[in-house]
Amino acid sequence: MNAALDPHRPIQALSDQLISQIAAGEVVERPSAVVKELLENALDAGATHITVRLEQGGVKRIAITDNGRGIAPEQMRLALARHATSKIASLHDLEHVATLGFRGEALASIASVAQLTLTSRTAAAAHAWEISGTPAGSPAPASGAAGTTIDVQDLYFNTPARRKFLKTEQTEFGHCAEVVRRIALARPDVSFSLSHNGKAIDHWNATEVAQRSAHILGDNFATARLALDESAGDEASGLRLHGFAGLPTAAKARADAQYFYVNGRFVRDKLLTHAVRAAYQDVLHGDRYPSYVLALELNPALVDVNVHPSKIEVRFRDSRAVHQFVFHVVQRALAQTSATAFGTAPAPLASPSGAMPWLREQQQTMFGAQLRTDTATDISSQFKRANSGFGVAQSTASYGALFAAAAAAPESLRPAIAPQPIQSLPGDDEHPLGFALAQLHGVFILAQNNRGLVLVDMHAAHERILYEQLKNALDADAMQVQALLIPVTFYADAVEVGTAAESRAILESLGFDISAVSPTTLAVRAVPALLKNADTQSLARDVLRDIREFGGSRVLIERRNALLGTLACHTAVRANRSLTGPEMNALLRQMEATERADQCNHGRPTWVQLALADLDKLFLRGQ
Ligand code: ADP
Ligand code: MG
């Protein structure tokens, strides 16, 4: 029976087993997730050698053996219990967590959806102990070396619905192998062995990151990458980014060689991916994906790792600062290649040791400390390879192209900002407002003149121009009239119809032809040519209202300017209208030709000048 349809089902507390099975949906979504949790546990236990044995893509069996500190027999049942962990004991611990695990739910979740056997031996114990089953029985003596083996068989044997979501053996194995690679990259100091269906797949001896990443990402990456290591900020809020950024020549058609770690934890984070991507923007074509192995380290209190059950996303307290830092470090590293070109190795990167105190307590091994020597060897080996023609003729060419592109990048910004007319900029007298550079947010025009930057409020300026033009035309009794091909008719009330009839002469002198075509309809047949782009109906309504309020002919004496101001406002360019370069320049020229163009007719400035000296001050230059 469908539970949802049974209104009489009472509320019941879920059993522990069921809770774990529900949690398993998040923690153990596929075999690779089990591999990840078990590897993290092994690393948290201080293992230096880890063996991963998989059968049938991990579905049949995942057995992970480590040489870590082990679990004492009396703790074994707790290890398998939900919400039981040795890694944190308080909220404070959670906020400063330095271990990979801390939720205390992985083993319980896995045990609820598979047959789990835990065998472990601490250094002090005379022999190993083993427990299995759910709920787990009592530990029994077993054979085994110091360390822990967790053997997970028949994943999802009791939750067939989940089993259906699994892909082919090869796909599931692929995911498992990728998880092993991610973790192996982060911990080159630990040796890893991986086998599948009894066949050895990978074995990596303990080494340092340069070698490990070369092994895992391949030769192409190993010979075309930049070592980087930069720190910024003080002890409490400092950031350190280190690792390897692949040169554009090592870029790939897929984003499958991008490894980013935050405090030793592999993450796939939008913010970080974006920062790196942006740093490559100048040197990499849009459909290529950079390869990189980068590690960000920061005070654990400044990053929340508990935002995702598998902890693959993180949340930074100051995400803007992190983005900026990552972006600039990677960008600098890439730019450095163009500045130093070939042959000259960059100055040794500052030693980070001592800068980040928490690094010493934890994650010390993350990527090791030999980055400085690496920097020199990496660059110079690229140099040699690129210049010796040692099978890299093509890559020499692309290096050249890359460096040329990188060197040209900052330059190429200049022509974009300063369009042609600047070169032939005449004296200030002729074009004091200079020439338009761009339009900002559809509201302002940015222009450059001899003194510096001119900022124009587009609408206010245009309003003032129209207003002055209307005044001049009216004074000269030369208001140009624009006849409308199709009269604009609109519903009008009796007062409006009456005003139109009484004020024909005034309307005419202003350039309007407005007359009644029925007791409730007015027709506009002509408007001042200067205002032909305005909304005819509201323009007509406003002029009738002003005339009525000021009692007929007096409007043109006492309220003339206000009336013309209203009219000008109707027609002036609205915010958010995008203007072309010639249109903007035309507006600047009209402003120069217009009296009192410095203020709109409401008294607000239409433009401001920011002299170069003002700009220098903004950037504290020359101080
Ligand atoms: P968590 O890792 O979040 O603490 P787990 O369910 O993964 O939760 O593990 C529960 C506990 O079991 C850990 O806190 C740890 O004390 C112990 N444990 C698990 N795996 C190992 C291992 N390979 N070696 C030593 N202890 C382990
Ligand atoms: Mg764990």
Side-chain angles (χ1 to χ4, degrees), residues 507-535:
L507 285 169
E508 230 166 73
S509 67
L510 285 168
F512 285 95
D513 177 351
I514 304 175
S515 58
V517 290
S518 87
T520 55
T521 312
L522 284 175
V524 185
R525 294 196 167 80
V527 295
L530 286 168
L531 305 179
K532 63 174 190 281
N533 293 326
D535 170 35

Side-chain angles (χ1 to χ4, degrees), residues 449-468:
N449 66 1
N450 282 352
R451 292 179 56 211
L453 180 72
V454 172
L455 266 170
V456 177
D457 178 334
M458 206 168 88
H459 176 76
H462 194 212
E463 199 177 87
R464 164 59 71 172
I465 292 166
L466 280 171
Y467 172 65
E468 292 292 329

Side-chain angles (χ1 to χ4, degrees), residues 423-557:
Q423 263 79 46
S424 55
L425 188 68
D428 254 7
D429 303 342
E430 217 179 316
H431 295 102
L433 293 179
F435 292 88
L437 300 170
Q439 193 178 8
L440 184 70
H441 284 279
V443 176
F444 301 104
I445 293 170
L446 306 186
Q448 172 175 303
N449 66 1
N450 282 352
R451 292 179 56 211
L453 180 72
V454 172
L455 266 170
V456 177
D457 178 334
M458 206 168 88
H459 176 76
H462 194 212
E463 199 177 87
R464 164 59 71 172
I465 292 166
L466 280 171
Y467 172 65
E468 292 292 329
Q469 287 174 337
L470 286 168
K471 273 198 312 190
N472 289 340
L474 200 57
D475 288 347
D477 202 7
M479 190 68 89
Q480 294 270 325
V481 173
Q482 173 75 52
L484 303 180
L485 279 179
I486 304 163
V488 173
T489 60
F490 59 94
Y491 175 84
D493 61 26
V495 179
E496 286 172 324
V497 173
T499 308
E502 286 164 20
S503 315
R504 269 204 84 81
I506 299 164
L507 285 169
E508 230 166 73
S509 67
L510 285 168
F512 285 95
D513 177 351
I514 304 175
S515 58
V517 290
S518 87
T520 55
T521 312
L522 284 175
V524 185
R525 294 196 167 80
V527 295
L530 286 168
L531 305 179
K532 63 174 190 281
N533 293 326
D535 170 35
T536 308
Q537 184 182 327
S538 56
L539 188 65
R541 283 220 148 103
D542 277 2
V543 77
L544 290 172
R545 192 200 57 215
D546 274 16
I547 290 174
R548 186 184 71 237
E549 274 179 14
F550 281 86
S553 58
R554 278 175 48 221
V555 74
L556 283 186
I557 303 155

